[in-house]
Amino acid sequence: MHRAACTGLDNYSPGYLWCTYSLSLRRLDCQVPTHLPLDRAQTLSPRGRGCGLRYPGHIPVRVFLKSARWDIMLHIETRGDKFGRGRGTDRSCVLTQNYRSVKITSYTDMIYRDMIIEREGSSAVRDSMDGTMDRAVGLESAVGGKAPGDNIASNRAVVSVVGKDRIGIIARVAGILAANDVNILDISQTIMQEFFTMIMLVDLGEERSKFARIQEELAAAGKEMGLKISIQHEDVFNFMHRI
Amino acid sequence: MKPVNLSPSEILETIRMVQMENLDIRTITMGIDLHDCVDHELPRLKCKIAGKIRRYARNLVEVGREIEREYGIPVINTRIAVTPIADIGGSLSADDFVELAHCLDDVARELGVNFIGGFSALVHKGATAGERALIDAIPRALSETERVCSSVNVGSTRAGINMDAVKDMGVVIKDAARRTADRDGIACAKLVVFCNAPDDNPFMAGAFHGAGEPECAINVGVSGPGVVLRALREHGDADLGTLAEIIKRTAFKVTRMGELVGRIAAERLGVPFGIVDLSLAPTPAVGDSVAGIIEAMGIERCGAPGTTAALALMNDAVKKGGAMASSYVGGLSGAFIPVSEDSGMIAAVEAGALTLSKLEAMTSVCSVGLDMIAIPGNTPPETISAIIADEAAIGMINGKTTAVRIIPVPGKDVGDWAEFGGLLGRAPVMEVSAFSSKDFSLRGGRIPAPLRALNN
């Protein structure tokens, strides 16, 4: 038996989910469309014939979900063969050796975008796997959705600095940006009523996750220098001032 | 690469709006349809409802925070609106409805949303057994729960006014106040009585996910009285046509923020974008006041003669500007005049400039109605019913939404203060006419739908 725990479902969900798994086992790739009766708990039992390794490619399984609030145990059993099992939490993003990804959508078009599974297999199982797929992966929805936040058209942001003028403001801000691999596209600065005002347009590149980090670093630097430094996505300004 | 096409003054204008003039996204409200949860057994019904809400809204609060961080626009509230509960609990008793309210409250707390709306019944032409049971359950449901909001639609332009329901609501409001007497009748602050209730309103306490709405939708309410106020103050001497133009331009910019946030939130949550509500919703913060805007136009105190005209001008200009800024406009869309949430309104009441009758007149040209008004605790239920009937009549005849959210504060009288705390603010208890409307309120029946021609 192998199991994957998926977060985001819950034990009260009514009806059925259409579920498509892409399970990558050793030398086994299978797409499994199946019904998930969510209001029933317990381990799954194989449905139909031809489960398991004997029919690589398709394993028809019926899955019952058991959960405590946000954690759903998703059990998949294939003729007693033990593949290992996975557990997941909302934030974890670890590829299992057993599963490459799990894609689940509900019949109501709900997309569970960040359903992640993580391996928690027994050592025996782990040892038997070669671990080539043991790398982080975010799961994508089966209906063409994207992972949350991947859909921002551009990744440019405006850094604004307002406060009392002093030496080294630009150097400091630019330093933080450079350290985070952020390209500065434009800088303008003015002094308005004794207040130093600098505006930078920057390109954050592909990696969206660093936004929060840069924001924290800039805010900390601002606090230290007695300035208000903020970073906002460029779209805010485009949307307000350009049609 | 796209060229850099923003001027520093534009960027600073946006930053100033957010940091100094309280421009914010007042609410991202996720509307969720619950019709597929219908079940004749209460435990299963509860399970299904809780499950469905969790499934759709589990990332709602997180996405709100994400947007706030990345775009630098405060997202004040994230909320959920559901199908009117009376629609899906037709066979339940009042006790069952109270239990259901607890279920909604638990889910709201678990998900971290501050209000969940939709403990509602639409009874503008008549009530079903389920709707009657829900109305009976409202006082208990609202006093025992923290985050559940309730609304009842008692009239519409097409159906007229259901005076039986209006009569009941007077009693319900008194009962809800009595049950929360130790907290100045706060349960009543979570109850709205509507005429022509909108199906897609994102603002509490009147939000619900009405008939004809999709499975799930994101509706956004923006706020920015402070921005409009500052723009008006900059043009002190302009004539009223120019003022209207300024308000339109400002409302456009404010609404664009709502449009942006709505689109992003919908995209990240994987649900359709519903509407932007173009409302100017005040907050207790200084300067973030609709009364302040009216006063900036030259009325000494909000409530003085001229207030209704000023409000009409402002309300219309907000709609004109906002309608251009958003692809879909809906909800209440207009200026809110909640007394307890607007420092200028409070000051006007204190100064004796603003009375209940003036507020009623103002509601004929603004967005909602008598909102967050504290009245003496000994006001008879029939008088409250009559106030509701007056307000519903304004809505019915003018083909607009009107509402009453009124709090008969137990044990308090004119001159006292009702303290609701937090989002709901504080309000001076206002004087209500001492003359009785009892015989009228108790008649019951329906006020027929109005003629829609011969408009005068």
Side-chain angles (χ1 to χ4, degrees), chain B residues 374-437:
Chain B
I375 57 173
N378 59 6
T379 311
E382 296 83 17
T383 301
I384 295 175
S385 294
I387 292 172
I388 294 170
D390 281 346
E391 205 47 48
I394 291 174
M396 174 180 78
I397 298 293
N398 294 306
K400 72 187 284 294
T401 303
T402 49
V404 173
R405 182 158 56 143
I406 202 164
I407 304 111
V409 189
K412 295 202 172 167
D413 213 334
V414 179
D416 293 336
W417 285 80
E419 306 276 350
F420 305 114
L423 299 164
L424 301 169
R426 64 200 293 264
V429 176
M430 294 178 78
E431 192 179 354
V432 177
S433 169
F435 297 101
S436 171
S437 324

Side-chain angles (χ1 to χ4, degrees), chain B residues 173-196:
Chain B
I173 288 173
K174 284 285 283 185
D175 191 16
R178 183 183 61 78
R179 286 171 187 272
T180 45
D182 55 329
R183 286 173 287 158
D184 284 345
I186 198 167
C188 296
K190 298 181 283 179
L191 172 61
V192 183
V193 186
F194 272 117
C195 176
N196 290 324

Side-chain angles (χ1 to χ4, degrees), chain B residues 209-223:
Chain B
H209 193 66
E213 292 290 305
E215 175 75 9
C216 186
I218 288 292
N219 300 321
V220 170
V222 287
S223 169

Side-chain angles (χ1 to χ4, degrees), chain B residues 215-263:
Chain B
E215 175 75 9
C216 186
I218 288 292
N219 300 321
V220 170
V222 287
S223 169
V227 181
V228 176
L229 182 57
R230 208 241 348 133
L232 288 184
R233 282 190 179 146
E234 267 182 14
H235 298 78
D237 310 326
D239 68 17
L240 291 174
T242 314
L243 287 192
E245 192 60 33
I246 294 162
I247 297 172
K248 263 171 18 187
R249 250 184 281 152
T250 316
F252 178 88
K253 290 176 182 171
V254 170
T255 310
R256 286 297 281 174
M257 289 299 91
E259 174 82 3
L260 171 69
V261 168
R263 283 193 203 171

Side-chain angles (χ1 to χ4, degrees), chain A residues 91-102 115-119 131-140 147 209:
Chain A
R91 300 280 154 255
S92 67
C93 185
V94 178
L95 180 68
T96 69
Q97 292 172 339
N98 315 20
Y99 316 124
R100 205 156 109 206
S101 66
V102 172
M115 193 166 289
I116 307 296
I117 53 175
E118 171 191 333
R119 200 174 74 82
T132 48
M133 287 174 288
D134 210 348
R135 62 191 157 82
V137 65
L139 302 178
E140 47 183 29
S209 58

